[in-house]
Amino acid sequence: MPKRPLTIPVLELFGPTFQGEGRAIGQKTMFVRTAGCDYHCAWCDSAFTWDGSEKPKRMTADEIIAELDKLGAYDYVTLSGGNPCLLGANMGELVAKLKARGVTLGIETQGSRWQTWLKDIDQVTLSPKPPSSQMSVNFETLDFIVSQLDKDQVTFKIPVFNDEDLTFAKMIQKRYQPDVLYLSAGNPEPHASGNIVEAQLNRLRQLWETVAADSEWKSVRVLPQLHTLLYDNKRGV
């Protein structure tokens, strides 16, 4: 019998656009958003990836690449979710085929699952979720993931909603000692309609001022969620 082709549950393919957060902020990219997540964060801005409200399309690696090609020219692709690290060999095939084409790859994950293909990702953004998410971090798993990757592959990014989150971020910085820790002003109303820019800027200003006044913070960058300032809560941008 012929082998059944490996498929990936895809909810969104979009671009060209720009990365809105972290080390790659402002990077022109295509996005591949997969379905499924092992976390259900209280303030998740992509709950449709795990709450059953939308059905993903099963696509092979070749079909995904063909759709990306239709969107336009690209040399950078971001894998996002949900948690794309829930996917094993099926995602590994896509990673291998994109790398063979010379594409730079980024991924966004909370660091709760290890996959060997992560070693082939150029920029691995680990975003362990702070207390406001109401999720618990498995540090044994996160430690293992970090130990398997080159330090220059890894970026730590923490969304901040309150003082407890900042305390958590300090702990992450002390534990993993990244060259830079990226903090982003969180969006507590990811499903609100209308203009959220003023509220987001106020949160960013408060975070800036809080971090600036704390002498314990070093090697830290406080950034906006840039996409929320340009497109509010619009999807697919």
Side-chain angles (χ1 to χ4, degrees):
M1 289 181 63
K3 271 189 174 180
R4 180 180 295 180
L6 295 172
T7 60
I8 293 169
V10 176
L11 280 167
E12 291 184 316
L13 287 169
F14 60 93
T17 185
F18 292 87
Q19 175 58 256
E21 299 180 77
R23 186 186 297 271
I25 192 168
Q27 169 69 52
K28 188 177 180 182
T29 186
M30 297 291 196
F31 271 89
V32 177
R33 186 184 298 281
T34 61
C37 194
D38 47 332
Y39 279 17
H40 297 166
C41 295
W43 33 250
C44 180
D45 61 0
S46 305
F48 61 91
T49 62
W50 51 261
D51 66 7
S53 61
E54 297 188 23
K55 186 176 180 180
K57 182 178 180 180
R58 303 292 313 197
M59 302 177 70
T60 66
D62 288 338
E63 288 170 340
I64 291 171
I65 291 170
E67 287 300 310
L68 291 173
D69 290 347
K70 288 179 184 177
L71 291 172
Y74 58 95
D75 60 2
Y76 193 108
V77 171
T78 301
L79 307 175
S80 187
N83 184 6
C85 286
L86 295 179
L87 304 169
N90 38 1
M91 182 62 84
E93 182 179 25
L94 176 63
V95 169
K97 289 187 172 184
L98 286 170
K99 292 301 295 180
R101 291 174 52 142
V103 174
T104 300
L105 292 176
I107 192 169
E108 299 173 342
T109 177
Q110 61 264 45
S112 60
R113 297 290 182 93
W114 166 252
Q115 298 291 350
T116 55
W117 49 257
L118 278 171
K119 292 186 177 183
D120 297 319
I121 302 292
D122 300 282
Q123 296 183 2
V124 179
T125 297
L126 297 175
S127 184
K129 303 310 179 189
S132 63
S133 70
Q134 299 178 21
M135 296 291 106
S136 297
V137 176
N138 183 328
F139 282 101
E140 183 177 350
T141 300
L142 187 57
D143 288 350
F144 178 78
I145 292 171
V146 173
S147 75
Q148 296 302 301
L149 299 173
D150 294 336
K151 191 165 185 177
D152 61 2
Q153 275 181 281
V154 176
T155 294
F156 277 93
K157 176 177 66 68
I158 310 294
V160 176
F161 291 81
N162 55 39
D163 289 342
E164 282 187 325
D165 291 353
L166 272 174
T167 300
F168 173 87
K170 280 185 181 179
M171 180 271 294
I172 291 292
Q173 187 175 56
K174 184 175 180 180
R175 187 182 187 103
Y176 298 107
Q177 299 183 10
D179 57 343
V180 178
L181 179 67
Y182 292 81
L183 304 180
S184 63
N187 175 14
E189 299 179 304
H191 308 297
S193 59
N195 190 317
I196 66 169
V197 172
E198 184 176 357
Q200 284 296 91
L201 288 175
N202 285 337
R203 292 184 190 101
L204 178 63
R205 184 181 302 110
Q206 182 178 12
L207 182 57
W208 270 12
E209 292 173 353
T210 300
V211 172
D214 186 343
S215 60
E216 291 184 10
W217 279 111
K218 297 177 176 64
S219 299
V220 64
R221 294 185 190 175
V222 177
L223 298 174
Q225 293 182 331
L226 189 58
H227 49 289
T228 66
L229 302 183
L230 297 177
Y231 298 110
D232 300 306
N233 283 323
K234 186 178 178 182
R235 277 177 53 180
V237 293

